[in-house]
Amino acid sequence: MTTPNHPADRLLHAVRAKAAPVCVGIDPVWETLPPTLQATASPATASSISVAITSFGLGILEAVAAHVPCVKVQSACYERYGAPGVFALQRTIASAKQLGLEVILDAKRGDVGHTAAHYATAVFGELDAQLDTADWITLNGYLGADAIEPFLRPGRGAFVLVRTSNPGGDAVQSACMQSGLTVAEHVAGMVADLGDSVLGECGYSAVGAVVGATKAKDMAALRARMPRQIFLVPGIGAQGGTPDDVKPCFDDEGAGVLLTASRSIINAWQQHPDRDWPGVVSDAAARLADETGQLAGWR
Amino acid sequence: MTTPNHPADRLLHAVRAKAAPVCVGIDPVWETLPPTLQATASPATASSISVAITSFGLGILEAVAAHVPCVKVQSACYERYGAPGVFALQRTIASAKQLGLEVILDAKRGDVGHTAAHYATAVFGELDAQLDTADWITLNGYLGADAIEPFLRPGRGAFVLVRTSNPGGDAVQSACMQSGLTVAEHVAGMVADLGDSVLGECGYSAVGAVVGATKAKDMAALRARMPRQIFLVPGIGAQGGTPDDVKPCFDDEGAGVLLTASRSIINAWQQHPDRDWPGVVSDAAARLADETGQLAGWR
C-alpha cells in the first residue's frame, strides 16, 4: 500500500500504524541539554549551541521514532540562535522525515497574501523542490482565511490555533459573542468552513485545530463545531490537562486527535542521571505511546 | 539631548525630527529586484538570492534614511531563504540601526511563555548583548497578554495586530461581541490595558497597535479605546486606504500614528527604468515624507 498524500490521511495512517495518537514535541533549550551535549558547545556561541541542539534533536528522533508517528518541532527554540539555528531546524526536520516521521513545524505564523506565501515557502520549500520539509505547520487564524490558504499546498496541512492552553488565552478566546458563541467557537466555525474544501479520504481535513487540553470544558463544544478537524492537543501532563479531559474528542474509531508531549519526554533523562539519556527518552516515548494508544482504545 | 530609551519616546522623537510619521516597508522579493541586482544572483540559490536581497535592502536604507525615521522589515521575505536569509535579515537590521533608523521587525509572532521568550531573544538578542537588533516587533494578540509580555524588554516595543488591512480579517475581527464591541475592539481593550504599564514620557505606550487604513470606519472607535497606543497603519495607497481615512487617528500635536508604505517606495524604480534605482527610491521617499508630514500638520 502506498502512503497517502493527503496530509490528514497520511497522518492518521501513521498514527494508526504506531497505535499511538501522539507526537513528541522537540523544544531544545540549551540550558537544559544533557550535560554531555551541553559540554560540546564551548565556548557557547549561536553556532556551537546550534550544533549541540541539532545533536540533541537527532538523538531524540532516533529514540522516539520506533514508538510515535509524529514529532512537533518548535521553531522558536531554533530561531533564537539566528541563521545557524535555522540551519539546525532544517536539518532536524529533514532527519525526522528520513526516519519516516510525520513532522509538524510549530511556528504559529499568521500573515496575509504575499507574505503568507513567503512563509509557506520558508516552511514547505519551493513548490518544485524535493526537499524534506515539514508536513504541517501551526498557524494563527486571527487574520482570517487568506492567512491560511497559502499553506494548503498538495500534501501539506495546517493546524490553526483555536483554543490555546495558556492562561492568557481566555482574555480573547473565552469572550462571548452576540451569537452566544465564544470567540474560540467563532474561529472554530471559520476553520471548519475553510477545512471542508480540503478533506481527505479519512473524512478529516488538511486544516486541523489546536485545542488545549487545559480547556477541557470547551473541548466538546469545539468538537461539535469542528467534526472534520484533527485536534492537535497540547497541555496534557505538566500544564494540567488529563487524558480523561481529551477522551470525548476522539471519534468512534479512536481517530481525530493528536496529543502532544514535550518536556515530559525530551527531559525524561533528568530523572535518571545514572543512565544514558537516549535510552531513558526512548522508554518514556514507549510509555507515552502505550498510554495514548489505550486512550484511543487501540491497546 | 540624549536619545530617549523608552521605545515610544524614541520613535516619536525620530518621527518628529524628520517631520514624517511614516516608515518604509522593506519586503524584498527576488522576482521583482532591479535587473542589475537580480543578475548578481546567478545561479539563483538561497545563498545568492540572500546576498542580492541584502544589497537591495542596504540600497533602500541608504536611499530613504535622510527622509524617513523608521523602516519596517518583513521577516517572511528573508525567512523564505532559510539560514542565509536570516543572516541577510540580521545584517539589514544592523545596517538600518547604524544609519540611525528606528526598526520594526514585521514578524507577527504569537506564542506563549517559554516560547515567546525564545522568540524575543531571536528578535531582540540576548539581554546582555550589544547587538544592533530591531526596536519593535509586530505580534498577534490572539493568545493574550502572556504572548506579548516577554517582548516588553527595556527599550523595546511591540505593535499588536488589532485590525488588519486584508479582506479576510473581517471574518474574525469584525464579528460582534455580546458587549456590542467587535472582536477587534475587544482585543483593543486588552492591548490598552496591557500598554498602560509601559507608558513613555510622551504619553504613548511601548505596546502599540496595528490598525489597517482599509478599515477606515473602525479607526475612530479603535482610537477611542486605545488613546495611548501608537497606531502602525498599513494599507495606504496600493491597498486602497486614503490619507483622509487616517487623519482622525493623529493627536492634536500630529503624533500617535506611523503610516507604512512598502511597494510604492521600494519598487518606485519600476516607473523609471531609465534612471538609477536608488535615486528614484530616494525621491519617492522624499515625497512620502512630505505627504505624510503634511497629513500630521508638520509641513
Side-chain angles (χ1 to χ4, degrees), chain B residues 142-155:
Chain B
Y142 188 70
L143 290 87
D146 50 343
I148 298 164
E149 287 160 345
F151 293 89
L152 301 180
R153 297 179 174 188

Side-chain angles (χ1 to χ4, degrees), chain A residues 27-29 31 74-77 79-84 86-87 90 106-112 114-119 121-122 126 140-147 161-173 175-180 183-187 190 263, chain B residues 27-29 31 74-77 79-84 86-87 90 106-112 114-119 121-122 126 140-147 161-173 175-180 183-187 190 263:
Chain A
D27 310 19
V29 175
E31 290 78 4
Q74 176 51 258
S75 192
C77 291
E79 287 182 57
R80 76 171 282 170
Y81 298 111
V86 169
F87 185 75
Q90 293 173 329
D106 194 357
K108 299 188 176 66
R109 294 299 191 259
D111 214 313
V112 297
H114 280 85
T115 309
H118 292 311
Y119 279 125
T121 299
E126 298 291 343
N140 192 309
Y142 187 71
L143 289 89
D146 51 344
L161 300 178
V162 173
R163 190 75 179 97
T164 59
S165 56
N166 62 307
D170 291 359
V172 177
Q173 300 159 25
C176 195
M177 315 278 303
Q178 208 164 55
S179 58
V183 170
E185 288 164 356
H186 180 80
V187 171
M190 179 192 77
R263 280 167 281 178
Chain B
D27 310 18
V29 174
E31 290 77 6
Q74 177 48 259
S75 192
C77 291
E79 287 183 56
R80 76 170 283 169
Y81 298 111
V86 169
F87 185 74
Q90 292 174 329
D106 194 358
K108 298 188 177 69
R109 295 298 191 260
D111 213 314
V112 297
H114 279 85
T115 309
H118 292 311
Y119 279 125
T121 299
E126 297 290 343
N140 192 309
Y142 188 70
L143 290 87
D146 50 343
L161 300 177
V162 173
R163 190 75 178 96
T164 60
S165 57
N166 62 307
D170 291 359
V172 177
Q173 299 160 29
C176 195
M177 315 278 304
Q178 208 165 56
S179 58
V183 170
E185 288 163 355
H186 179 80
V187 171
M190 179 192 76
R263 280 167 282 178

Side-chain angles (χ1 to χ4, degrees), chain B residues 54-75:
Chain B
T54 303
S55 299
F56 182 62
L58 300 194
I60 296 287
L61 292 172
E62 287 173 4
V64 307
H67 307 295
V68 300
C70 180
V71 290
K72 177 174 79 67
V73 186
Q74 177 48 259
S75 192

Side-chain angles (χ1 to χ4, degrees), chain A residues 142 171-172, chain B residues 136 139-149 152 158-163 183-199 204-211 222-223 225-232:
Chain A
Y142 187 71
V172 177
Chain B
W136 296 77
L139 296 177
N140 192 309
Y142 188 70
L143 290 87
D146 50 343
I148 298 164
E149 287 160 345
L152 301 180
F159 290 101
V160 180
L161 300 177
V162 173
R163 190 75 178 96
V183 170
E185 288 163 355
H186 179 80
V187 171
M190 179 192 76
V191 167
D193 290 345
L194 183 62
D196 275 349
S197 63
V198 282
L199 296 177
Y204 285 96
S205 172
V207 182
V210 177
V211 178
L222 291 172
R223 176 47 93 197
R225 291 187 67 76
M226 297 187 289
R228 298 182 181 281
Q229 271 56 55
I230 298 173
F231 278 19
L232 180 67

Side-chain angles (χ1 to χ4, degrees), chain B:
Chain B
M1 179 183 167
T2 56
T3 309
N5 191 42
H6 186 282
D9 293 339
R10 201 175 57 230
L11 179 58
L12 294 187
H13 180 265
V15 163
R16 181 55 74 103
K18 295 268 172 62
V22 70
C23 68
V24 168
I26 300 185
D27 310 18
V29 174
W30 152 245
E31 290 77 6
T32 58
L33 288 187
T36 50
L37 272 180
Q38 209 177 49
T40 64
S42 176
T45 63
S47 292
S48 69
I49 293 176
S50 296
V51 172
I53 62 176
T54 303
S55 299
F56 182 62
L58 300 194
I60 296 287
L61 292 172
E62 287 173 4
V64 307
H67 307 295
V68 300
C70 180
V71 290
K72 177 174 79 67
V73 186
Q74 177 48 259
S75 192
C77 291
Y78 295 86
E79 287 183 56
R80 76 170 283 169
Y81 298 111
V86 169
F87 185 74
L89 175 66
Q90 292 174 329
R91 171 93 169 75
T92 305
I93 290 170
S95 296
K97 292 307 301 170
Q98 283 158 20
L99 286 165
L101 291 158
E102 285 287 295
V103 178
I104 302 166
L105 179 64
D106 194 358
K108 298 188 177 69
R109 295 298 191 260
D111 213 314
V112 297
H114 279 85
T115 309
H118 292 311
Y119 279 125
T121 299
V123 172
F124 295 143
E126 297 290 343
L127 277 170
D128 55 354
Q130 296 297 318
L131 294 170
D132 283 331
T133 55
D135 302 291
W136 296 77
I137 184 172
T138 57
L139 296 177
N140 192 309
Y142 188 70
L143 290 87
D146 50 343
I148 298 164
E149 287 160 345
F151 293 89
L152 301 180
R153 297 179 174 188
R156 314 292 179 141
F159 290 101
V160 180
L161 300 177
V162 173
R163 190 75 178 96
T164 60
S165 57
N166 62 307
D170 291 359
V172 177
Q173 299 160 29
S174 291
C176 195
M177 315 278 304
Q178 208 165 56
S179 58
L181 302 175
T182 63
V183 170
E185 288 163 355
H186 179 80
V187 171
M190 179 192 76
V191 167
D193 290 345
L194 183 62
D196 275 349
S197 63
V198 282
L199 296 177
E201 291 179 12
C202 62
Y204 285 96
S205 172
V207 182
V210 177
V211 178
T214 54
K215 312 297 175 179
K217 69 177 174 54
D218 300 350
M219 294 189 95
L222 291 172
R223 176 47 93 197
R225 291 187 67 76
M226 297 187 289
R228 298 182 181 281
Q229 271 56 55
I230 298 173
F231 278 19
L232 180 67
V233 181
I236 294 269
Q239 291 184 56
T242 73
D244 281 346
D245 293 333
V246 181
K247 207 157 183 176
C249 296
F250 287 92
D251 67 23
D252 293 343
E253 297 175 356
V257 175
L258 189 68
L259 301 163
T260 82
S262 176
R263 280 167 282 178
S264 62
I265 306 301
I266 70 171
N267 293 341
W269 55 270
Q270 293 173 351
Q271 309 300 318
H272 301 277
D274 52 314
R275 292 182 54 199
D276 256 16
W277 70 264
V280 182
V281 169
S282 181
D283 290 351
R287 279 195 305 276
L288 176 72
D290 209 39
E291 289 163 8
T292 57
Q294 287 178 25
L295 193 65
W298 294 343
R299 299 196 186 202

